[in-house]
Amino acid sequence: IATVSVLNCSYTHTHARTHTTSMARTALAVLLAGACCGAASPAEGTKPHIMFMLVDDLGWNDMEWHDEFGQIQSPKLNELRKTGVTLDRYYVYRFCSPSRSTFQSGRYPWHVGQQTTQNLNPMPGVACGIDLKYKFMGDVMKSAGYTTWALGKWHLGFLSNEYTPTYRGYDHYVGYYSGAEEHFSHEKVGYGPGQHAYTFYDLANNTGKEVAPCLEPVGNASATYSSYLYGNETLRLLDAHDPAEPLYVYLAWNNVHDPNEAPQNYIDPHAGIENKGRRNLAAMVSALDDQLTAVVDKLKAKGMWENTLLVFSSDNGG
């Protein structure tokens, strides 16, 4: 089960269920339709800003408005959702990478090689990635005159630089290439020849053709909780952005993928949840609730919100 909402002008996406529709095409069609209804219309000829927020492994019961157990607290997102449109028949693939390949390419996963074991899990030591002949959303939006950013989880291959975000249409990228990582240290276990395990630091800070480790875009990144890292980097970029320039942002949060980790100030309010995994997941949703809506507040402060289409989706169910 997954979630999708399209917000503002405005739309909100909530969760989807396992299977796949042509998600990128469908989502954009829905979004553009949403831009024609609802709140205040931008000036004629003005391109809307588009922000596609993807939450990792968010299940149907993992948002406050669906949680039948009363454990999840996402009040800010819940209020934001009420201003948009929630899709309750919206389908994503059952794994991370195939859904992401569709969001980027507009094609079914099995049309871009995502039916194979390697492409389902493009990890260190696995030579795979989405064929370079397929254009990604970054390429398409850039050709339409947009500034393009990608943040967070990639999981679409890093066989060489050419498979990474800034070589596939995005002007700037801060995030990690693999399928999951530790939320505080940003480390990931990989496997070399003979399946020997090793640990590596998976956090990139890339602009244009320059590919580098992310160490200090928002302080010491190696000690920054993931939702703080990607939220703060988005705020930093928005601060420097000219609102007159159309913007496309692909913000792929690490939350709520395991390991279930959150700062203690988010865990403590959920002390009444007996199961530790569920308690920590609830804390991760609360952290996301704050960081995601901080980005929305920044769009409002910049005067961009009334001309912004925000999509909130998960890549597969929890």
Side-chain angles (χ1 to χ4, degrees):
I1 292 177
T3 294
V4 181
S5 297
V6 187
L7 303 160
N8 201 40
C9 240
S10 269
Y11 265 65
T12 308
H13 266 75
T14 336
H15 276 67
R17 304 190 167 166
T18 50
H19 285 81
T20 300
T21 185
S22 188
M23 291 175 287
R25 293 171 182 168
T26 300
L28 282 179
V30 169
L31 299 185
L32 294 175
C36 299
C37 67
S41 299
E44 186 176 351
T46 301
K47 296 177 181 177
H49 307 296
I50 301 173
M51 183 165 288
F52 195 105
M53 291 194 183
L54 192 59
V55 183
D56 204 353
D57 289 2
L58 188 70
W60 183 264
N61 278 322
D62 295 342
M63 294 309 298
E64 182 176 327
W65 56 88
H66 286 148
D67 177 23
E68 60 189 82
F69 308 108
Q71 298 174 326
I72 303 298
Q73 299 172 20
S74 53
K76 297 177 183 178
L77 270 170
N78 199 32
E79 288 303 309
L80 187 62
R81 179 185 67 90
K82 294 175 183 178
T83 70
V85 177
T86 298
L87 306 184
D88 58 7
R89 291 295 181 271
Y90 168 86
Y91 301 94
V92 296
Y93 204 78
R94 62 195 179 101
F95 299 131
C96 302
S97 187
S99 288
R100 292 162 191 269
S101 70
T102 297
F103 286 133
Q104 290 296 333
S105 71
R107 298 171 182 269
Y108 287 110
W110 46 91
H111 289 171
V112 295
Q114 282 280 33
Q115 77 282 1
T116 67
T117 301
Q118 278 76 17
N119 266 336
L120 283 174
N121 199 27
M123 300 294 289
V126 179
C128 67
I130 307 303
D131 198 305
L132 298 177
K133 70 181 180 181
Y134 299 113
K135 287 188 178 296
F136 276 13
M137 283 299 299
D139 297 308
V140 174
M141 300 308 291
K142 194 164 185 62
S143 67
Y146 277 73
T147 296
T148 55
W149 306 333
L151 301 102
K153 177 174 172 175
W154 185 237
H155 207 194
L156 292 168
F158 51 102
L159 172 61
S160 65
N161 287 347
E162 286 71 26
Y163 290 87
T164 61
T166 54
Y167 283 74
R168 306 205 76 159
Y170 291 98
D171 297 315
H172 179 67
Y173 174 67
V174 167
Y176 59 104
Y177 297 137
S178 58
E181 65 173 9
E182 203 276 350
H183 288 265
F184 289 96
S185 71
H186 308 291
E187 293 179 340
K188 174 67 181 178
V189 174
Y191 295 90
Q195 291 299 296
H196 295 296
Y198 60 89
T199 299
F200 69 100
Y201 180 69
D202 183 9
L203 196 61
N205 180 16
N206 305 341
T207 300
K209 302 305 179 185
E210 292 188 16
V211 175
C214 173
L215 297 175
E216 51 185 28
V218 286
N220 181 8
S222 64
T224 303
Y225 184 62
S226 61
S227 66
Y228 295 167
L229 176 67
Y230 305 125
N232 288 343
E233 179 68 356
T234 304
L235 298 180
R236 185 186 73 83
L237 292 168
L238 284 172
D239 275 332
H241 184 70
D242 180 358
E245 297 296 321
L247 175 65
Y248 177 75
V249 181
Y250 175 66
L251 177 47
W253 303 92
N254 192 0
N255 292 31
V256 295
H257 198 294
D258 66 353
N260 289 5
E261 299 173 326
Q264 194 62 41
N265 61 297
Y266 285 109
I267 295 174
D268 290 342
H270 299 283
I273 301 176
E274 183 176 349
N275 181 276
K276 180 180 178 181
R278 183 67 176 172
R279 181 168 64 247
N280 285 2
L281 183 139
M284 295 169 79
V285 173
S286 294
L288 180 67
D289 191 52
D290 282 345
Q291 297 305 308
L292 190 155
T293 52
V295 173
V296 172
D297 289 342
K298 178 63 70 174
L299 290 168
K300 292 177 179 178
K302 293 276 292 186
M304 299 169 65
W305 178 243
E306 293 303 324
N307 189 31
T308 294
L309 185 61
L310 170 62
V311 182
F312 173 81
S313 175
S314 61
D315 60 349
N316 60 82

